[in-house]
Amino acid sequence: MTDVPAVIEVEGLVTHYYGERMILKGIDMEVRDGEIMVIMGGSGSGKSTLLRHLMALENKTEGTMRILGQDIDGLSQTEFFDLRKKLGVAFQGGALFSSLTVGENVMLPLYEHTDLDRMTMEIMARMKLEVVELGGFEDLMPSELSGGMIKRAAFARACVMDPKILFCDEPSAGLDPVVASALDDLILSLRDAMGMSIVVVTHELDSAFKIADRITILDRGHILMIGTVEEVKNSSNERVYNLLNRVPEDEQLDVDEYLSRLTGMEVDEGAAL
């Protein structure tokens, strides 16, 4: 699969929050055409920040990023807007509008970004609802759906414009194991049926091992490894092992960093205390 072209290329990505707080510390990775890339890591590892960068929603401090062959730094506002139309997002909680029916939620991107007539949009929305096994539910309100159905409706909306890349933030969060497994099957079927590349952030190991072509593991803003499921399972890296086996780590105290946090000032290394 190494000869497959990349749809996302990231080199030397660095991000700071609040001026000096470095979140991502030189990220190099790529997402290949037609693959499912899963991003994993402990709390605070930077995986959500990385996802926002891959969706072109976050400003970076340093580095380069190409999406679908386009360097995002060189795009005009119009070109950037057109690029985003080729990206779909399934948000963690579904993010359906409670005042709209399921069908209207799915049609929303078509309303915003196309000049299609109402009947055509309704047909396209029904087609995508059929794909996610919600055919006939278009007239219900989000409040009438179960948690799993809300996630499926969110996938239908994310896919209604046939994106080249689909981003999923914790798709299995809050679901029971049976429903979560069915959602994993849906992600696989969407990739196969629509030929999309899919990027998934998840902390669910069973889900990651089931759907991933490759897994990126983050730790404290760095990439520990990128590999296939088997490569990750067989990794000799202690931090990877701890993550997969839920082993807590004793964090070593950096005295200078600790004093810097307390005083709000940088502490010179080797300075006398």
Side-chain angles (χ1 to χ4, degrees):
M1 193 171 178
T2 55
D3 295 331
V4 177
V7 294
I8 299 177
E9 301 166 89
V10 179
E11 294 183 7
L13 179 63
V14 175
T15 298
H16 289 81
Y17 282 167
Y18 311 114
E20 297 300 323
R21 185 184 173 204
M22 186 181 290
I23 305 300
L24 300 179
K25 306 171 183 179
I27 300 296
D28 296 313
M29 66 175 295
E30 66 176 20
V31 178
R32 299 168 185 163
D33 187 26
E35 83 168 337
I36 298 177
M37 169 66 82
V38 169
I39 300 173
M40 302 187 69
S43 178
S45 62
K47 56 186 183 296
S48 294
T49 299
L50 176 58
L51 181 66
R52 289 196 295 271
H53 276 292
L54 299 182
M55 294 189 294
L57 296 176
E58 197 81 45
N59 292 323
K60 59 185 173 9
T61 306
E62 299 175 16
T64 60
M65 187 164 67
R66 297 175 64 85
I67 300 176
L68 297 173
Q70 296 180 280
D71 186 337
I72 63 171
D73 290 330
L75 298 181
S76 67
Q77 187 172 2
T78 300
E79 291 170 332
F80 200 63
F81 187 71
D82 289 339
L83 174 63
R84 281 182 168 166
K85 294 179 186 178
K86 301 174 184 177
L87 311 178
V89 183
F91 297 98
Q92 179 172 339
L96 300 183
F97 290 93
S98 59
S99 60
L100 302 178
T101 67
V102 171
E104 289 169 338
N105 268 283
V106 175
M107 283 191 291
L108 190 59
L110 301 175
Y111 271 122
E112 294 292 329
H113 302 303
T114 75
D115 296 321
L116 297 172
D117 61 86
R118 171 82 184 199
M119 181 175 292
T120 301
M121 288 190 289
E122 288 178 349
I123 292 172
M124 293 178 66
R126 290 193 191 103
M127 289 174 63
K128 288 303 188 290
L129 287 169
E130 289 287 347
V131 170
V132 301
E133 299 180 359
L134 286 180
F137 290 84
E138 60 270 13
D139 293 328
L140 294 184
M141 303 301 291
S143 60
E144 300 176 278
L145 302 182
S146 67
M149 293 168 73
I150 288 175
K151 294 289 183 77
R152 287 177 176 272
F155 272 99
R157 183 179 60 187
C159 296
V160 73
M161 291 186 63
D162 297 325
K164 301 294 184 182
I165 309 172
L166 176 64
F167 298 96
C168 309
D169 186 12
E170 298 284 2
S172 302
L175 301 179
D176 68 68
V178 174
V179 176
S181 180
L183 202 63
D184 292 338
D185 291 336
L186 174 61
I187 291 173
L188 290 168
S189 65
L190 286 174
R191 189 272 305 272
D192 295 340
M194 302 182 66
M196 298 183 295
S197 303
I198 302 180
V199 179
V200 180
V201 167
T202 185
H203 66 278
E204 300 287 349
L205 290 177
D206 290 342
S207 178
F209 292 159
K210 181 176 180 179
I211 66 176
D213 291 306
R214 291 189 300 151
I215 298 175
T216 296
I217 298 183
L218 292 180
D219 180 65
R220 302 173 191 177
H222 297 281
I223 289 183
L224 285 181
M225 72 172 297
I226 300 176
T228 64
V229 171
E230 287 305 312
E231 289 170 342
V232 169
K233 286 182 176 180
N234 295 324
S235 173
S236 59
N237 185 293
E238 182 180 1
R239 290 190 181 278
V240 174
Y241 175 87
N242 289 343
L243 177 66
L244 299 187
N245 293 277
R246 300 180 179 179
V247 177
E249 296 180 349
D250 294 327
E251 185 174 352
Q252 296 297 314
L253 178 64
D254 185 303
V255 176
D256 290 337
E257 182 181 349
Y258 178 66
L259 289 176
S260 178
R261 290 204 306 266
L262 291 179
T263 63
M265 302 171 57
E266 280 196 26
V267 178
D268 294 332
E269 291 185 14
L273 298 179

